[in-house]
Amino acid sequence: MRKKKNIILENIKLLTAGAKGVAIGKTEDGKTVLVSGAIPGDSVNVRVKKAKSKYYEGEAVEVLEKSPFRTEPKCIHFGTCGGCKWQNMSYEKQLDFKQEEVYNNIKRIGGIENFETMPILGSEEQYFYRNKMEFSFSNARWLTQYEISSEENFGSKDALGFHIPGMWSKILDLKECFLQEDPSNAIRLAVKEYAVENGLDFFDVKNHEGFLRTLMMRQNSKGEWMILFQLFREEKETREKLFAFILEKFPQIKTLVYAINPKANDSIYDLDINVYFGEGYLMEEMDGLKFKIGPKSFFQTNYKQALELYRKTLEFADLKGDEVVYDLYTGTGTIAQYVARNAKQVIGIESVQEAIDAAIEHAELNGLTNTTFYCGDMKNVFNDEFMENHPKADVLITDPPRDGMHQKVVEQILKLAPEKVVYVSCNSATQARDLALMKEHYTLVKILPVDMFPQTHHVENIALLIKK
């Protein structure tokens, strides 16, 4: 069998950013090159990983000329860790490329022209913006090429950190992370140090054994913290000594919870959560609305920017107080409740029962009597019978997952024909696909990209549609 040829494309000038944060260049004969490991403005040599008829995919192996947009990454783990891949690009250019991506998707995929593009809403905080982080314990620390080839003993193979992209069994042992504010780093490092010093065994993914599995940290805007440990087995004395150590060292911890997880995966949603200290949840407030955040709760991870997103969604909806509003993919009802104070009635639909339970609880907590929530698969619940049994929507808000809306849901919106649709999206490509299906009946008035995740290629977008 012939060995695959190692193709190197030389001196490729990278012109712009593409989907999933890759940089895009052209060969001399005009063929597109999608490059990882570099940024727009760089000139690079590229090792080809995939050669297609219309384009190449590859990775930068040498930077010949550095982009003027380059910045020095803050984190020592940059390039190994799978997060913050744009940390080596100025924040201003990150915003430019995100705005361009959203605009291009709406035009190319959506086939829509003549809409207003509002300037992207950048995040006030470019670092330390996440209120929730999850870390994994492993007895198989990721080793650098130098460590592998060296005869030296580099000490413990235990790690507490992130999974290496594409290598689920290997964990990068984090020394620092700039995503969650202090004392996040201090708590993680103290837990690791205590566990190593006291001989607590870290999880072995391959053999499915070991005491410590995962560590999750959540905080609210008041600086109160929740800690969640996943343990493979119960060891009461060992567990209580670890918890007592952490609670004594970090008085910011408002509640500490744990789960015993002997399963094959780390998902907590089917596990019983045990409260060791505190109430088992944190309270959060957004413009006067209260939310109870438990270990399994979905809540936007960038609190300040989420608040801006909700404010802009309400602004786009432009409610006068007498409207019936439908909120599709309502989640825990955050947007539904945020707009309810300006509407006659809000009806939310969501497929996850726990989320609906939380939405109902939050509505009661906030004294909202004009919200109703329904649970079920969107394409099955949001049907003709549903519309017959509920008042017609004047305004429809939709905030679907990355895959966008099911075609049946889009068809049902067109049947319902609300005067106004506000479409919040975390994936402008699937949003553009859905808007294309609606463009005969609705005019896209304006879009507003919102940056929820600085240092990454991810971008949200709010679109306002008015019935023709």
Side-chain angles (χ1 to χ4, degrees):
M1 189 174 171
R2 285 177 65 188
K3 202 171 181 182
K4 198 173 178 183
K5 206 171 175 186
N6 191 16
I7 304 171
I8 301 289
L9 304 175
E10 295 187 343
N11 200 14
I12 300 296
K13 178 75 174 176
L14 301 177
L15 308 169
T16 188
K20 299 183 180 175
V22 298
I24 301 175
K26 296 274 186 186
T27 60
E28 282 184 8
D29 59 358
K31 199 166 175 179
T32 298
V33 189
L34 309 177
V35 183
S36 61
I39 66 167
D42 285 341
S43 291
V44 294
N45 290 341
V46 181
R47 178 182 291 115
V48 174
K49 289 183 165 182
K50 281 185 190 174
K52 303 283 186 180
S53 58
K54 293 184 178 176
Y55 65 92
Y56 293 107
E57 281 182 37
E59 63 179 355
V61 288
E62 185 180 1
V63 178
L64 306 172
E65 187 180 331
K66 288 185 177 179
S67 168
F69 315 137
R70 270 189 176 266
T71 55
E72 195 61 35
K74 281 172 77 91
C75 182
I76 58 170
H77 300 298
F78 178 79
T80 306
C81 170
C84 302
K85 288 182 179 175
W86 275 4
Q87 205 182 120
N88 58 346
M89 193 195 308
S90 75
Y91 188 55
E92 292 73 22
K93 289 312 292 185
Q94 291 179 36
L95 293 178
D96 286 349
F97 288 126
K98 290 181 186 196
Q99 174 121 19
E100 191 179 326
E101 180 191 343
V102 172
Y103 176 76
N104 287 339
N105 281 340
I106 302 295
K107 283 193 78 172
R108 292 173 188 167
I109 301 170
I112 301 170
E113 306 276 350
N114 304 321
F115 55 91
E116 181 189 352
T117 305
M118 298 173 72
I120 186 168
L121 192 62
S123 178
E124 183 186 327
E125 294 170 341
Q126 284 106 60
Y127 290 96
F128 305 118
Y129 58 81
R130 288 187 68 98
N131 57 30
K132 177 187 172 188
M133 295 291 287
E134 297 177 70
F135 307 100
S136 295
F137 293 90
S138 173
N139 66 352
R141 175 173 64 83
W142 169 255
L143 300 175
T144 64
Q145 200 55 49
Y146 171 73
E147 287 175 313
I148 292 168
S149 56
S150 172
E151 297 287 316
E152 289 179 60
N153 179 6
F154 288 92
S156 169
K157 294 284 198 326
D158 290 333
L160 176 55
F162 297 139
H163 292 273
I164 293 287
M167 299 184 188
W168 189 249
S169 64
K170 297 293 183 185
I171 298 293
L172 172 66
D173 190 42
L174 280 181
K175 301 289 187 282
E176 63 183 17
C177 180
F178 291 89
L179 285 172
Q180 191 175 35
E181 68 184 28
D182 287 338
S184 178
N185 279 308
I187 293 172
R188 188 190 66 255
L189 293 170
V191 167
K192 162 98 189 292
E193 185 180 3
Y194 176 94
V196 170
E197 285 180 0
N198 289 275
L200 277 58
D201 51 333
F202 287 46
F203 197 61
D204 184 325
V205 174
K206 289 185 176 172
N207 295 314
H208 200 66
E209 60 187 21
F211 178 57
L212 297 167
R213 283 192 77 153
T214 69
L215 170 67
M216 182 182 87
M217 293 190 262
R218 294 189 96 136
Q219 71 196 103
N220 63 13
S221 55
K222 296 179 199 168
E224 297 170 335
W225 289 72
M226 170 196 294
I227 304 297
L228 165 67
F229 281 93
Q230 275 194 59
L231 309 171
F232 178 66
R233 60 180 183 265
E234 173 64 295
E235 289 184 19
K236 188 170 185 290
E237 190 180 341
T238 305
R239 169 175 61 76
E240 289 184 346
K241 283 181 180 176
L242 168 64
F243 293 175
F245 164 76
I246 292 300
L247 289 170
E248 186 181 358
K249 194 169 177 66
F250 298 100
Q252 302 95 324
I253 298 172
K254 179 94 170 171
T255 187
L256 191 154
V257 298
Y258 69 98
I260 306 300
N261 179 10
K263 299 183 303 163
N265 63 60
D266 289 340
S267 170
I268 67 166
Y269 294 100
D270 55 351
L271 296 176
D272 292 329
I273 305 294
N274 306 287
V275 179
Y276 177 79
F277 170 76
E279 295 176 306
Y281 60 85
L282 298 175
M283 293 304 298
E284 188 55 278
E285 191 170 320
M286 300 186 97
D287 283 345
L289 290 169
K290 294 183 174 65
F291 297 96
K292 187 172 157 184
I293 312 299
K296 297 182 185 181
S297 298
F298 172 79
F299 198 76
Q300 289 280 8
T301 49
N302 184 340
Y303 167 82
K304 286 185 180 176
Q305 199 66 342
L307 194 48
E308 293 302 321
L309 181 79
Y310 298 154
R311 285 170 178 165
K312 291 298 180 185
T313 300
L314 179 60
E315 189 181 301
F316 272 38
D318 190 27
L319 301 173
K320 308 299 183 211
D322 58 352
E323 297 93 344
V324 173
V325 180
Y326 283 15
D327 183 30
L328 307 188
Y329 310 92
T330 193
T332 56
T334 321
I335 289 178
Q337 291 171 67
Y338 198 85
V339 304
R341 295 174 293 186
N342 296 71
K344 179 184 175 183
Q345 185 180 358
V346 181
I347 295 167
I349 309 173
E350 166 62 42
S351 62
V352 179
Q353 186 61 56
E354 289 88 345
I356 288 294
D357 293 342
I360 293 167
E361 184 181 8
H362 291 150
E364 288 174 4
L365 188 66
N366 290 307
L368 297 169
T369 57
N370 63 338
T371 58
T372 316
F373 296 100
Y374 296 92
C375 184
D377 188 306
M378 189 64 61
K379 68 181 186 298
N380 299 330
V381 173
F382 182 51
N383 56 21
D384 291 347
E385 186 185 349
F386 185 91
M387 295 197 309
E388 283 167 17
N389 292 318
H390 293 87
K392 184 182 185 305
D394 303 295
V395 176
L396 183 138
I397 298 171
T398 182
D399 185 6
R402 292 195 64 78
D403 289 343
M405 296 191 289
H406 192 281
Q407 189 170 338
K408 283 185 179 177
V409 177
V410 178
E411 289 166 4
Q412 208 62 29
I413 292 172
L414 296 178
K415 269 192 203 176
L416 178 67
E419 288 300 317
K420 197 180 292 177
V421 175
V422 181
Y423 190 150
V424 182
S425 172
C426 58
N427 183 350
S428 61
T430 56
Q431 182 188 43
R433 176 205 68 202
D434 295 345
L435 295 181
L437 298 172
M438 301 172 72
K439 66 184 178 184
E440 283 184 30
H441 303 273
Y442 283 86
T443 300
L444 177 61
V445 178
K446 60 183 176 181
I447 63 168
L448 171 63
V450 180
D451 185 25
M452 300 287 282
F453 303 105
Q455 318 309 333
T456 78
H457 65 274
H458 297 290
V459 59
E460 310 260 330
N461 187 45
I462 313 173
L464 173 63
L465 298 96
I466 302 290
K467 193 169 79 169
K468 288 182 178 178

